Amino acid sequence: MSSYQLQCNLAGNQRNMENMVRAVDPDALFPAEGETDFKIDLTLIPDEAGLTCRGKLSGRQQAEVTFNDREITDPRYGTTAYEQRKKEMVRQGVLTLLVQGGNPQLPWGILTGVRPSKIYHYLRDLGFTAAEVRSKLETQYLLIPEKAQLLTEVGERQRPFFQRVGTTISIYIGIPFCPTKCNYCSFASYPLITHAHLVEPFLAALAYEIDEIGEVLAQTGSSLATLYIGGGTPSILSASQLHSLLERIKQKLPLDRLLEYTVEAGRPDTLDREKLILMRAYGVSRISVNPQTVNPRTLQRIGREHSIAQFEATVRMVRDLKFPCLNMDMIVGLPGETEEDWDQTLQQLLAVQGENITLHTLAPKRAATWDFTRVKQEIAEERVASWLRVARAQLSANNYYPYYLYRQRRSVAGQENCGYTLPGWEGIYNIIMMEERSTVLGLGGGGMSKWFDPVQQWVSRTPNPKCPATYSGRIKELVAKKVSKLLTAVN
């Protein structure tokens, strides 16, 4: 581990600088006193012509940098943008010094957050063309050219959906149970082997939440743009439980103008024909069946107890029942896997011709079951970026294009998760969730409500508890707050 001392004449940028350093060196330390391995000094100088940044890296590495930003004086920017640019230049200075000191360039430059596409839409909304924004991504935000191109493609394909959805509300329903917990997973998911006794109380609480929210939506004349049932693994419910949930949704929520109805079934071993017939009968238009890998040894190792034969059989049932949109996920970078494994999985997904294919890059998380320090040497990190480049070319050759993306902390090789689609089958909820331009009500376990203010153009968040027992115990309190906020937002 390396230690850093950070200084900047612009107050309030300590955390900003630390985040940028950690993007380059995830295990960086920032001691309050004592000797350190590296020291970074930055000075930001505003003047009538714009901004100038001067920086110096000293210690085990040496570098100096000076750069100007005159473009911020463009009249399309305002005062808020000027203040934001100061923070961006601080990150730009830190990254430039570290790269000049011998560290590798980051694929996504100074965009360290989950949603890099937000900066794209922010600049487009100011009036810059797609070509101008792409240039800024490379010069101001320091993205490598292929990521700037990818972000431009994704952004331009998303923008028509902003107008199509408008400020209509969407709903996410979280079912926080799984047959087993995958070793790489850090999400809210509770294995049935230890938590089956919580399912019925959870479903009763969820029914109450659906009833109360549905009543408010009816009272205010609101309609839904998209509905997404995720988790966990929603298809872990029995056919009877699933039927009751889908019927309640039909009776209580305004689905008459729904653009998309997704169930993230995920695990093939939780699906059968009876459940799929139920979903189709209740109008589910998009379903996820996710193998993650078609390597049987890896499936066993990561804690997924389904077989490749189960995946193939489930996909055949989905096709026989004529679900309009099939999504399939794979993970790149799982321990022990190489390009050959990734190629094999991608080729099998391409052979199925699902409407959506999502490529996830492994992101080692501390909350996962795995101790990633023990399997780190088995992760082919140095090969992930080049393979993703090849995969994108193969997807393009098969008529798939990227339509949404996001990033996770500690993602292998600094890469992204990216959804690809055949023409006309974009996952609308995925776009809404990532770009945060309309309200999403989060119901169920771990459901995150995102309240969009169209005037201020910002989002506030209120979470439901991840633990199903806590959710059930607090349901009336949680719903009362949500109803109050919903009525205020609508009125």
Side-chain angles (χ1 to χ4, degrees):
M1 295 184 182
S2 298
S3 57
Y4 296 78
Q5 179 183 345
L6 308 176
Q7 292 185 348
C8 180
N9 71 318
L10 194 65
N13 269 272
Q14 181 70 21
R15 181 62 62 85
N16 188 26
M17 295 177 74
E18 289 180 3
N19 288 341
M20 194 68 253
V21 171
R22 283 201 178 99
V24 177
D25 182 357
D27 297 316
L29 299 175
F30 305 97
E33 56 185 30
E35 293 295 322
T36 55
D37 300 308
F38 305 100
K39 182 179 179 181
I40 297 176
D41 288 294
L42 288 178
T43 302
L44 205 65
I45 306 168
D47 56 42
E48 293 181 357
L51 293 164
T52 297
C53 181
R54 293 175 183 159
K56 182 177 181 180
L57 171 67
S58 55
R60 282 167 36 194
Q61 296 172 344
Q62 307 286 328
E64 292 189 23
V65 65
T66 298
F67 59 94
N68 302 310
D69 181 358
R70 303 304 181 221
E71 193 263 352
I72 190 61
T73 59
D74 187 300
R76 285 172 285 192
Y77 292 114
T79 304
T80 303
Y82 185 81
E83 293 304 313
Q84 176 179 315
R85 182 62 58 82
K86 290 179 181 178
K87 297 178 181 178
E88 292 169 350
M89 288 186 73
V90 168
R91 296 200 301 275
Q92 188 177 351
V94 170
L95 180 56
T96 302
L97 286 169
L98 291 175
V99 170
Q100 288 188 7
N103 292 281
Q105 175 65 294
L106 298 180
W108 287 92
I110 68 170
L111 299 185
T112 59
V114 172
R115 298 172 174 82
S117 46
K118 278 198 165 187
I119 197 67
Y120 183 87
H121 295 302
Y122 161 74
L123 292 168
R124 288 287 277 122
D125 290 345
L126 288 179
F128 294 102
T129 66
E132 286 175 320
V133 175
R134 180 180 173 180
S135 175
K136 295 178 193 304
L137 291 174
E138 294 185 35
T139 57
Q140 292 172 201
Y141 299 93
L142 305 184
L143 275 66
I144 64 174
E146 71 175 89
K147 299 306 182 188
Q149 173 62 25
L150 174 60
L151 193 55
T152 301
E153 290 182 30
V154 167
E156 287 307 299
R157 285 175 178 130
Q158 289 179 338
R159 291 185 70 76
F161 288 93
F162 297 162
Q163 185 172 7
R164 184 178 177 187
V165 172
T167 57
T168 310
I169 293 170
S170 290
I171 282 183
Y172 172 87
I173 298 176
I175 310 294
F177 300 99
C178 280
T180 59
K181 184 157 184 170
C182 298
N183 291 329
Y184 57 77
C185 179
S186 61
F187 293 108
S189 58
Y190 297 84
L192 281 194
I193 192 170
T194 53
H195 292 76
H197 63 289
L198 297 178
V199 174
E200 286 297 337
F202 167 81
L203 289 175
L206 177 58
Y208 175 80
E209 187 170 29
I210 291 172
D211 289 353
E212 295 298 305
I213 295 300
E215 184 176 330
V216 176
L217 293 175
Q219 176 184 335
T220 56
S222 302
S223 58
L224 300 181
T226 67
L227 174 62
Y228 191 106
I229 305 179
T233 305
S235 47
I236 194 66
L237 301 179
S238 68
S240 175
Q241 291 167 336
L242 181 63
H243 180 261
S244 296
L245 174 61
L246 295 175
E247 177 64 22
R248 178 164 250 100
I249 288 170
K250 178 183 177 181
Q251 294 297 328
K252 300 296 183 178
L253 298 180
L255 308 181
D256 52 309
R257 298 183 185 178
L258 205 62
L259 300 174
E260 180 183 87
Y261 191 162
T262 297
V263 174
E264 189 180 357
R267 298 277 288 263
D269 50 330
T270 65
L271 286 165
D272 56 32
R273 194 170 187 86
E274 183 181 5
K275 292 180 185 179
L276 288 169
I277 288 173
L278 274 173
M279 293 180 203
R280 193 70 192 98
Y282 277 95
V284 173
S285 58
R286 183 176 182 272
I287 188 167
S288 294
V289 182
N290 305 326
Q292 310 301 10
T293 176
V294 298
N295 184 319
R297 182 178 61 84
T298 306
L299 282 174
Q300 184 177 26
R301 189 176 184 193
I302 64 179
R304 291 175 78 89
E305 298 180 350
H306 65 81
S307 66
I308 304 307
Q310 284 177 304
F311 165 66
E312 294 170 341
T314 301
V315 167
R316 284 195 296 271
M317 286 191 289
V318 168
R319 287 313 195 192
D320 289 345
L321 293 170
K322 295 181 169 40
F323 281 85
C325 185
L326 168 63
N327 173 74
M328 297 172 291
D329 292 359
M330 68 172 286
I331 299 177
V332 182
L334 289 169
E337 291 206 331
T338 65
E339 294 96 331
E340 183 179 8
D341 297 296
W342 307 332
D343 285 339
Q344 186 179 2
T345 299
L346 180 58
Q347 292 312 313
Q348 188 147 343
L349 299 190
L350 288 171
V352 171
Q353 294 184 318
E355 284 71 25
N356 296 165
I357 295 177
T358 308
L359 302 186
H360 292 271
T361 304
L362 179 68
K365 298 293 184 67
R366 294 189 178 96
T369 303
W370 256 337
D371 178 357
F372 279 99
T373 61
R374 302 182 65 179
V375 298
K376 184 176 181 180
Q377 68 277 9
E378 299 181 65
I379 299 172
E381 182 163 359
E382 72 283 356
R383 288 173 277 180
V384 167
S386 60
W387 187 84
L388 285 174
R389 200 173 298 120
V390 171
R392 185 180 176 196
Q394 291 188 36
L395 285 159
S396 178
N398 283 273
N399 207 28
Y400 289 86
Y401 57 75
Y403 76 96
Y404 92 107
L405 62 82
Y406 65 101
R407 302 189 64 235
Q408 293 179 279
R409 287 191 181 276
R410 296 180 175 268
S411 182
V412 169
Q415 298 300 308
E416 69 285 338
N417 300 336
C418 187
Y420 291 82
T421 183
L422 291 174
W425 292 106
E426 294 87 349
I428 301 173
Y429 172 82
N430 289 331
I431 296 173
I432 291 171
M433 174 184 63
M434 283 302 147
E435 304 316 321
E436 300 183 325
R437 291 184 172 227
S438 62
T439 292
V440 177
L441 299 178
L443 281 56
M448 176 67 74
S449 292
K450 300 180 180 182
W451 307 91
F452 177 68
D453 184 330
V455 177
Q456 300 295 327
Q457 293 287 304
W458 65 282
V459 170
S460 59
R461 293 170 170 80
T462 54
N464 275 356
K466 296 178 181 179
C467 172
T470 305
Y471 168 78
S472 301
R474 293 180 54 200
I475 188 61
K476 290 191 176 181
E477 166 205 340
L478 295 167
V479 170
K481 290 180 180 179
K482 197 170 297 179
V483 165
S484 175
K485 196 167 181 68
L486 182 58
L487 286 171
T488 301
V490 171
N491 295 328

